[in-house]
Amino acid sequence: MHVELDLDGAVVLVTGGVRGVGLGITRAFLAAGAVVVTCARRPSEVDGASFVPCDVRDADQVGALVSGIVAEHGRLDVVVNNAGGAPFALAGKASPRFHSKIVELNLLAPLLVAQAANEVMQEQDSGGSIVNVSSVSGRRPSPGTAAYGAAKAGLDNLTSSLAVEWAPKVRVNALAVGMVRTEQSHLHYGSDAGIEAVAKTVPLGRLASPDEIGACAVFLASPLASYVSGATLVVHGGGEAPAFLTAADGGSS
């Protein structure tokens, strides 16, 4: 059996695919030969990709987005649910509305997009593939972004549930993404010195690039992952060394 990463001509939707990790994902699919449509609330252009304004928390806008893609391209082969994120806010201080909005964006919005995409993909001979961009925050304590971490944990579970419900036509997988160096890294890690100090805590000694996350998304969507569904691929450079190793007398990091 011949399998490859080539996605020549595949129609791909990348939500939030215009900056940061999303931009890396968009570029990776373009490099693999795909036709890429991106969406975000605010207009932004990416060379080689088309853009549709959409608030992925709004079911009507999501429905119009997906139906528009099918009307223009005749199909929808891959969806990458990348739109998400959260500002720093201590759980005891944040309002109920803040927490609700974070969960809505990071858990319910991907479900809305996936539902609309699945309806199309189930009718296609070749089915389709959905990749949810999750986070290591859903697998460890997430102080300062508690609602975000909880939503991402839910997204991992949602991924495995949808993979069962929508098989065999549609594969559903996720990426649990670790720390990535983007144009907004300073908002999380401070100055360049702070970013470099944080990078040293990663076993591989650096933060990921958005393009590396994109390559993993392409893999999960490609024929190389044709028997992978319901999985969450952890992309974190080896994770984080246990704190006790640096605290213990005579320990090493």
Side-chain angles (χ1 to χ4, degrees):
M1 180 176 64
H2 177 67
V3 291
E4 56 187 18
L5 278 169
D6 185 12
L7 291 173
D8 188 35
V11 179
V12 179
L13 168 63
V14 182
T15 69
V18 296
R19 60 182 58 84
V21 170
L23 180 57
I25 293 171
T26 294
R27 287 174 173 166
F29 277 98
L30 288 171
V35 175
V36 180
V37 179
T38 65
C39 73
R41 284 181 292 171
R42 291 179 292 275
S44 183
E45 294 185 3
V46 178
D47 289 343
S50 59
F51 175 84
V52 178
C54 180
D55 183 343
V56 292
R57 300 169 299 181
D58 185 297
D60 291 337
Q61 291 189 40
V62 168
L65 169 67
V66 170
S67 62
I69 292 172
V70 175
E72 181 173 354
H73 300 286
R75 59 188 304 106
L76 177 58
D77 300 296
V78 178
V79 166
V80 182
N81 272 313
N82 166 76
F88 182 91
L90 294 174
K93 304 289 187 181
S95 69
R97 176 178 170 79
F98 175 87
H99 287 147
S100 177
K101 290 296 184 183
I102 295 302
V103 173
E104 183 181 24
L105 176 61
N106 291 282
L107 176 57
L108 300 182
L111 175 56
L112 281 177
V113 175
Q115 282 180 304
N118 175 68
E119 189 173 349
V120 172
M121 293 173 176
Q122 291 292 340
E123 300 301 317
Q124 298 175 163
D125 290 343
S126 58
S129 175
I130 296 171
V131 179
N132 295 319
V133 177
S134 186
S135 170
V136 294
S137 292
R139 295 172 163 246
R140 56 154 171 75
S142 187
T145 53
Y148 172 80
K152 291 301 190 182
L155 186 60
D156 289 344
N157 184 272
L158 178 68
T159 296
S160 60
S161 296
L162 298 183
V164 174
E165 286 196 24
W166 295 348
K169 276 295 191 71
V170 177
R171 294 187 300 110
V172 187
N173 293 290
L175 295 172
V177 177
M179 295 182 289
V180 184
R181 186 156 195 166
T182 71
E183 66 273 15
Q184 293 188 320
S185 291
H186 65 283
L187 298 178
H188 300 279
Y189 313 125
S191 64
D192 287 345
I195 293 171
E196 292 305 317
V198 168
K200 290 178 181 178
T201 69
V202 179
L204 288 187
R206 61 182 178 82
L207 306 186
S209 73
D211 290 346
E212 289 175 310
I213 308 304
C216 292
V218 169
F219 162 70
L220 287 178
S222 78
L224 282 178
S226 60
Y227 200 64
V228 180
S229 193
T232 297
L233 176 62
V234 182
V235 189
H236 62 4
E240 302 168 357
F244 76 84
L245 289 180
T246 55
D249 291 340
S252 59
S253 59

